[in-house]
């Protein structure tokens, strides 16, 4: 499979935020979100076999732990990534799959936690989520909305309510988008939507969702990759 990078850091997002985690970042994406902070994954990378990826994961995190399969869009390489996830589960790792949900998710192994990033209008990729994937979501999965405006927030609230997400998945995550050229200050000044404003909307509307910040961008310089 085509790999951009494999590294160990802290998980920055989802209900797993703060835990040590190995990231396997696959090359290539078929979307072009306006705020994408992973454009360096669109091309390049190196070819690695499933065994080579497993060896690297085991070197970084011997004896188990958390592994996130991400990208780019990892499900573009479904033929290799599904057996990789099966092998990781078999070897005792907790496996997270970060995906836009644009590709079918029916072949993702049941033990994998899917973190599905449903695209909002201001991402420029609205309506790319494959609605059939809703039926594949389980009580272990999480649905994330990255928000950069009030319109995005209203879209996310409506989608959450219309599809009963709060009752069917482990967590619904509302996360302010980060400016993609952010560098320097490790604070919320780089957010395209002020977290305080978002928090106040969520409190006022009693939204059944969890506000998520990208923890790694508050720990390291937001421009630093591989953390
Ligand atoms: S789906 Fe992810 S990697 Fe692809 S353009 Fe959007 S944010 Fe970037």
């Amino acid at each position: 499979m085509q790999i951009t990078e494999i590294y160990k850091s802290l998980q920055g997002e989802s209900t797993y935020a703060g835990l040590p985690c190995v990231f396997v970042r696959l090359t290539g994406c078929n979307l072009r979100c306006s705020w994408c902070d992973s454009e360096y994954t669109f091309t390049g990378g190196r070819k690695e076999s499933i065994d080579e990826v497993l060896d690297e994961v085991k070197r970084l995190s011997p004896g188990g732990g958390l592994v996130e399969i991400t990208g780019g869009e990892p499900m573009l390489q479904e033929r290799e990534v599904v057996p990789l996830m099966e092998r990781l589960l078999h070897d005792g790792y907790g496996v997270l799959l970060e995906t836009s949900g644009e590709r079918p998710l029916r072949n993702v192994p049941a033990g994998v936690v899917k973190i599905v990033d449903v695209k909002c209008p201001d991402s420029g990729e609205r309506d790319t989520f494959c609605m059939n994937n809703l039926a594949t979501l389980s009580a272990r999965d999480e649905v994330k909305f990255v928000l950069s405006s009030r319109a995005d927030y209203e879209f996310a609230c409506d989608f959450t309510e219309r599809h009963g997400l709060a009752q069917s998945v482990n967590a619904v995550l509302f996360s302010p988008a980060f400016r993609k050229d952010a560098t320097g200050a490790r604070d919320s000044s780089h957010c395209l939507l002020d977290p305080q404003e978002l928090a106040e909307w969520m409190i006022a509307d009693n939204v059944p969702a969890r506000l998520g910040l990208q923890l790694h961008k508050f720990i390291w310089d937001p421009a630093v990759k591989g953390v």
Side-chain angles (χ1 to χ4, degrees):
M1 69 193 80
Q2 201 68 18
I3 300 284
T4 294
E5 56 187 357
I6 301 175
Y7 61 95
K8 189 175 184 185
S9 184
L10 289 186
Q11 176 57 250
E13 302 182 65
S14 78
T15 63
Y16 295 82
L19 293 171
C21 182
V22 175
F23 292 82
V24 178
R25 190 178 297 284
L26 278 74
T27 307
C29 189
N30 52 344
L31 304 189
R32 290 293 179 268
C33 303
S34 56
W35 35 253
C36 178
D37 62 357
S38 306
E39 291 173 330
Y40 65 102
T41 67
F42 291 170
T43 56
R46 58 184 185 270
K47 252 196 175 6
E48 288 196 26
S49 67
I50 293 173
D51 284 334
E52 286 170 326
V53 174
L54 278 170
D55 285 349
E56 182 63 3
V57 170
K58 287 177 183 171
R59 189 186 67 75
L60 291 167
S61 186
L66 202 58
V67 179
E68 177 169 297
I69 310 293
T70 186
E73 173 46 60
M75 288 307 286
L76 290 173
Q77 301 186 61
E78 177 178 347
R79 205 177 52 187
E80 291 87 13
V81 95
V82 167
L84 170 65
M85 292 190 288
E86 284 167 348
R87 296 270 302 272
L88 286 165
L89 289 170
H90 177 265
D91 290 349
Y93 288 92
V95 182
L96 312 178
L97 171 70
E98 171 92 22
T99 175
S100 71
E102 189 271 344
R103 299 278 96 194
L105 299 176
R106 59 180 172 269
N107 295 329
V108 175
V112 169
V113 174
K114 299 187 285 293
I115 300 171
V116 183
D117 182 357
V118 175
K119 301 303 178 187
C120 296
D122 285 5
S123 71
E125 294 290 5
R126 182 188 176 143
D127 297 332
T128 52
F129 176 71
C130 171
M131 297 303 280
N132 291 340
N133 283 332
L134 285 173
T136 74
L137 298 179
S138 76
R140 73 170 68 227
D141 297 325
E142 306 190 3
V143 177
K144 180 174 69 170
F145 298 89
V146 178
L147 313 173
S148 50
S149 65
R150 176 78 193 185
D152 282 355
Y153 169 76
E154 287 173 2
F155 169 89
C157 289
D158 181 62
F159 193 101
T160 299
E161 188 184 343
R162 188 169 332 170
H163 300 292
L165 293 183
Q167 292 75 44
S168 59
V169 296
N170 180 39
V172 179
L173 310 159
F174 283 11
S175 183
F178 232 71
R179 214 177 298 282
K180 62 182 174 184
D181 57 355
T183 185
R186 295 171 291 160
D187 59 37
S188 63
S189 61
H190 302 299
C191 292
L192 294 172
L193 174 61
D194 185 345
Q196 182 179 333
E197 201 170 9
L198 175 58
E200 285 166 4
W201 295 342
M202 292 174 71
I203 294 164
D205 295 338
N206 212 23
V207 173
R210 179 189 298 244
L211 194 156
L213 298 173
Q214 293 177 295
L215 198 57
H216 48 293
K217 293 184 176 171
F218 293 82
I219 298 174
W220 290 280
D221 184 311
V224 174
K225 306 299 178 209
V227 293

